[in-house]
Amino acid sequence: MIVAATQFAPVAGDIAANVRTVAGLVRAAGAEGARVVVFAELCLSGYEPSLIRDTPELVLGEDDPRLEPVREACRAVSAAAVVNGPVRTADGRPAVTSLVIGPDGSLLARYDKRHLYGIEREVFAPGTADGRFALDGVRFATATCYDNRFPELAERAAADDCAVYLASSVLGADNDSFEKVYPVRARDFGLYVVLANVLGANEDGVGCGAAGAWGPDGERIADAGGTEPGFVLAEMG
């Protein structure tokens, strides 16, 4: 199982542009053997909670036609994509949502971020359930940025026979998660941890990239570096 961790600088409020970038990265990573391609928090809209609050058209539906290029890319390379954006909930409010689009273009799973941070609490509805999906016999867990500060999410993932923990995040260079969260979750619970991050300015600061993965021993096994958009591949198992 090869998983691709991605990083790029989303265009604030431009769903179409970001979808094009996401679809291109799915195709490129899939062509190099990735079976799952993971993207950063709010990659579809940019990490711009205030803009999302004030711009209703930035909120997506689960079957939103604007995501069709991503579905086509998944089908073209037989890869799943974990894409994150503001997605409408049953009560009409958006959540910070990871949609897992399968290799056939169908929706494999949805995960709404459970632990909201700062202004997110004013804009988004919190999720109430853990995110899970399986592909090729491998069970995956999903989590989003601040979620990863809560070890019980990774603990439940390991107890639920997940082997891979996918973290969609927005992190700056001063964030200590690279040392104190992701490798610790991997080591403490025997998981592969895969991080997708952003580059460029956003409402939280400046994304520093360094997307990649840690093995179950807590050691880095993939690092995309801090400057270039693209992806890095990590083999699970």
Side-chain angles (χ1 to χ4, degrees):
M1 171 67 69
I2 297 175
V3 178
T6 70
Q7 59 187 38
F8 72 96
V11 180
D14 194 333
I15 299 287
N18 296 324
V19 163
R20 286 194 296 271
T21 300
V22 167
L25 287 169
V26 170
R27 289 177 182 271
E32 294 192 22
R35 188 73 163 133
V36 178
V37 188
V38 187
F39 291 89
E41 181 180 26
L42 293 177
C43 69
L44 296 172
S45 59
Y47 186 85
E48 308 290 342
S50 298
L51 182 63
I52 293 165
R53 178 194 61 204
D54 299 336
T55 315
E57 57 266 31
L58 291 180
V59 179
L60 298 147
E62 285 188 6
D63 58 352
D64 202 293
R66 290 174 288 181
L67 296 178
E68 188 56 31
V70 181
R71 300 185 191 101
E72 291 176 357
C74 290
R75 289 190 288 264
V77 295
S78 191
V82 182
V83 297
N84 192 283
V87 179
R88 192 172 297 103
T89 64
D91 71 0
R93 294 179 66 198
V96 180
T97 299
S98 285
L99 297 176
V100 183
I101 299 172
D104 63 355
S106 67
L107 185 65
L108 278 182
R110 169 182 178 150
Y111 171 71
D112 294 342
K113 184 178 183 179
R114 297 187 66 152
H115 299 91
L116 301 176
Y117 183 81
I119 190 175
E120 294 172 7
R121 300 186 186 103
E122 302 173 18
V123 180
F124 301 105
T128 58
D130 292 338
R132 301 283 187 270
F133 70 97
L135 189 64
D136 299 342
V138 178
R139 281 182 62 76
F140 293 82
T142 56
T144 306
C145 207
Y146 190 48
D147 280 336
N148 300 299
R149 293 277 180 180
F150 299 83
E152 57 266 28
L153 268 74
E155 183 178 26
R156 289 197 298 268
D160 198 23
D161 293 326
C162 294
V164 186
Y165 180 94
L166 306 176
S168 299
S169 299
V170 170
L171 303 173
D174 60 347
N175 194 295
D176 66 1
S177 295
F178 295 99
E179 294 79 32
K180 296 183 177 180
V181 175
Y182 300 105
V184 175
R185 299 293 172 267
R187 183 177 62 248
D188 284 357
F189 301 109
L191 297 164
Y192 287 92
V193 172
V194 181
L195 166 69
N197 195 22
V198 295
L199 296 168
N202 57 74
E203 190 170 332
D204 187 58
V206 179
C208 68
W214 290 261
D217 60 359
E219 295 298 313
R220 265 274 196 177
I221 58 173
D223 189 339
T227 60
E228 295 300 318
F231 63 89
V232 65
L233 301 177
E235 188 169 352
M236 310 287 108

